[in-house]
Amino acid sequence: MNHGDHPFTLGVASGDPLPDAVVLWTRLASAPLAPHGGMTDIPVPVEWELARDSTFRQILRRGIEVATSADGHSIHVDVRGLEPSTDYFYRFRAAGHISDVGRTRTAPSALGTTASMTFAWASCQSWGDGFFNAYADMARSAPDVVFHLGDYVYEKAIPTRGGQRNTTAMPQSALSEMTTLDDYRERYALYKLDPHLQQAHRMLPFIVTMDDHEVENNWAAAICEDQAPVPDFLYRRAAAFKAWWENTPVRAELRPNGADMRIYRRFTFGDVAQFSVLDTRQYRSDQVNGDTDGPQNDLSARADRTITGAAQEQWLLDGLASSGTRWNVLAHQTTLADLARTKNGDRAVSMDGWSGYEASRARVLDGARTRGVDNLVSIVGDIHRSVASELRSSYTRPAPTVGVELAGTSISSGGDGADSDDSDRLLKAASPHVKFGNAQRGYVLNRLTHQDWQAEFRVADTIADPQAPLHRRATVTIPAGRPEIGIG
């Protein structure tokens, strides 16, 4: 890095809040779309400060971390000894420059009663499909925390024609599918230059997991979409995991070990909500029936198939059984519910979601019911539309409703969308357990109390204009103690 070049072009972020701790993140890049972000192999000392106030008159913690080329010049500072339910401000300094000031917030304490909490979730932000308007609205709404449920970046080549973005500003690697560590790093840099995304990260702590496009479309464990040899795909997966960790405000301990990385983890917000953040890619069985939408059959129902792996499944059920919170939340990638449509006269469901892993779904949902888990809610992304549905272990035979699933639409993937499209109408016609659907872009803003859960689906009429506002399309209310869906 040449002296005088601004290294904080990719912004600042915080994440994984605990009652007494939070992670502070930045990644140095003096020329973010140039090879290696314009940085050299020379380590760069980075000072950090955390304060009570945005003017830094009450500095509480400070320290120095070293940004190295081996970690993409990223910094993950795990600040401990903080107060619960408290706003803090932070900044970084390197090479004579000071970053923007970030704001973060710790989780409430597990001791005592937490009256309420607010959170948002988002997913699926294809850079070439439109602007990230939702993040500006999200920053203004100022929830306590944001969950990102996957597809933070997309691996496919970005077309140089069409779309709304200035494609002349893309790195050369964006013209082809990303496969190497440098490719993935440059793609994250391109996305992180988005001003609305930077604003949300600067103002709000994030809890992030991944889905498929951070690596490759619909990958499953060691199996990739194009059937490349396993060693080749694992080499690519290792590069993708490393870039995800470098560009995500997660703890340093989540650093991948080659092609392995444990990202499933649990967060508790006082006595109001426990979130089990899942990984439904790394340990899953391969998709069956050609990985296309179609009827469930003996293959999708096989008892030995799993979407979580045995260890994560047991971790999830143990955590649900021991939870002492009002709401028990599965924060993950693809829908648990069957979102069925009629296709060529047959009832068709996705083989990539839990519908293609029927025994795995039954073990989790029946396991939660037998353990007496109340107020179970599944929050997901992936499907580029908003859907509210009843949660059951089976939709082809009688089964009790054990919870509610709320699927959030994409930030931008799929373009503008519509209030209701053909897929939405087919879904509602074939899935009576679906109580709400919308196919516009946006996110979900939630307020949880001990009495109820209110989920506000906020959408934009267009994402072709980065200044276009969002509005409330609907509010779904779930009463505590009853897995019912009210639409307002």
Side-chain angles (χ1 to χ4, degrees):
M1 183 175 67
N2 297 321
H3 183 71
D5 292 342
H6 196 301
F8 297 110
T9 56
L10 302 180
V12 300
S14 67
D16 282 11
L18 304 175
D20 64 345
V22 72
V23 175
L24 309 181
W25 173 94
T26 193
R27 176 186 162 203
L28 306 184
S30 59
L33 300 182
H36 310 295
M39 306 295 290
T40 71
D41 286 338
I42 300 173
V44 181
V46 181
E47 301 174 62
W48 60 270
E49 295 176 322
L50 182 126
R52 287 273 190 192
D53 61 308
S54 60
T55 61
F56 288 82
R57 293 177 180 173
Q58 301 180 60
I59 295 175
L60 302 175
R61 302 280 192 282
R62 56 168 33 115
I64 298 177
E65 298 284 333
V66 178
T68 66
S69 60
D71 287 338
H73 291 94
S74 63
I75 295 292
H76 302 72
V77 184
D78 193 354
V79 187
R80 297 278 174 166
L82 304 179
E83 296 296 320
S85 299
T86 302
D87 289 350
Y88 292 98
F89 299 87
Y90 62 95
R91 64 187 178 187
F92 300 92
R93 182 183 287 107
H97 292 277
I98 300 177
S99 73
D100 289 337
V101 173
R103 169 202 165 270
T104 191
R105 183 172 178 81
T106 51
S109 171
L111 303 175
T113 299
T114 302
S116 66
M117 73 164 293
T118 58
F119 78 96
W121 86 82
S123 68
C124 304
Q125 52 196 48
S126 175
W127 186 89
D129 284 359
F131 293 97
F132 296 170
N133 304 51
Y135 284 122
D137 188 88
M138 192 184 294
R140 286 190 292 269
S141 298
D144 296 330
V145 66
V146 176
F147 288 80
H148 197 289
L149 301 182
D151 295 346
Y152 192 99
V153 296
Y154 278 70
E155 84 284 10
K156 302 298 185 185
I158 300 175
T160 56
R161 296 187 181 184
Q164 310 300 327
R165 298 279 192 164
N166 177 14
T167 54
T168 61
M170 297 190 306
Q172 186 66 27
S173 63
L175 302 178
S176 58
E177 185 166 338
M178 55 184 182
T179 59
T180 70
L181 179 56
D182 285 343
D183 292 345
Y184 286 104
R185 284 172 169 170
E186 290 174 6
R187 196 70 57 92
Y188 277 98
L190 176 65
Y191 278 56
K192 283 186 168 292
L193 287 172
D194 182 272
H196 293 332
L197 180 58
Q198 285 202 11
Q199 180 185 10
H201 273 303
R202 186 172 64 248
M203 298 299 296
L204 309 167
F206 273 57
I207 295 172
V208 185
T209 187
M210 70 164 63
D211 193 13
D212 55 338
H213 290 289
E214 289 90 346
V215 182
E216 185 196 44
N217 180 56
N218 282 17
W219 65 277
I223 301 170
C224 70
E225 182 181 38
D226 60 7
Q227 302 301 311
V230 169
D232 292 349
F233 178 66
L234 291 179
Y235 185 81
R236 177 182 180 178
R237 197 176 91 178
F241 282 9
K242 184 63 159 51
W244 180 88
W245 176 83
E246 291 174 353
N247 287 279
T248 305
V250 296
R251 291 191 156 75
E253 65 195 41
L254 266 66
R255 177 198 299 269
N257 179 17
D260 298 316
M261 177 172 60
R262 175 171 165 167
I263 61 173
Y264 64 87
R265 55 208 194 278
R266 187 172 288 117
F267 295 89
T268 300
F269 285 75
D271 64 347
V272 73
Q274 174 183 273
F275 295 84
S276 298
V277 181
L278 306 184
D279 175 353
T280 59
R281 288 288 163 192
Q282 194 174 174
Y283 314 107
R284 67 160 62 195
S285 309
D286 194 15
Q287 297 93 340
V288 295
N289 299 321
D291 193 14
T292 60
D293 288 5
Q296 290 160 324
N297 56 21
D298 291 344
L299 292 177
S300 62
R302 278 181 50 169
D304 61 343
R305 288 175 47 70
T306 178
I307 198 171
T308 61
Q312 183 179 192
E313 180 181 294
Q314 191 63 53
W315 167 89
L316 172 59
L317 289 171
D318 289 347
L320 290 172
S322 62
S323 172
T325 62
R326 174 69 76 189
W327 299 95
N328 294 287
V329 190
L330 311 183
H332 56 126
Q333 296 77 14
T334 60
T335 56
L336 269 161
D338 276 0
L339 301 186
R341 300 173 178 88
T342 300
K343 180 180 179 182
N344 300 322
D346 293 322
R347 179 181 182 274
V349 296
S350 168
M351 291 295 115
D352 187 59
W354 291 69
S355 299
Y357 300 80
E358 296 179 78
S360 197
R361 175 174 64 191
R363 287 193 298 269
V364 168
L365 294 183
D366 290 343
R369 183 169 59 86
T370 59
R371 287 164 173 79
V373 177
D374 293 324
N375 302 311
L376 183 67
V377 179
S378 165
I379 62 171
V380 298
D382 182 59
I383 60 173
H384 305 174
R385 61 184 63 247
S386 301
V387 179
S389 56
E390 296 170 343
L391 204 54
R392 304 171 190 164
S393 61
S394 175
Y395 296 87
T396 56
R397 61 181 183 273
T401 299
V402 297
V404 171
E405 179 158 79
L406 303 174
T409 187
S410 64
I411 291 289
S412 62
S413 302
D416 283 342
D419 186 67
S420 180
D421 58 9
D422 289 342
S423 187
D424 176 60
R425 289 184 284 272
L426 290 170
L427 169 63
K428 291 171 180 173
S431 301
H433 54 279
V434 169
K435 306 304 179 183
F436 169 73
N438 171 273
Q440 293 170 290
R441 307 285 78 85
Y443 72 104
V444 189
L445 181 65
N446 306 267
R447 178 178 175 82
L448 276 58
T449 69
H450 286 261
Q451 289 72 47
D452 62 22
W453 176 314
Q454 294 185 10
E456 180 180 339
F457 290 81
R458 296 190 60 77
V459 300
D461 291 331
T462 180
I463 53 168
D465 174 4
Q467 303 307 316
L470 274 73
H471 61 89
R472 181 176 64 247
R473 172 58 183 81
T475 299
V476 169
T477 300
I478 309 168
R482 303 191 306 278
E484 300 172 0
I485 299 172
I487 310 294

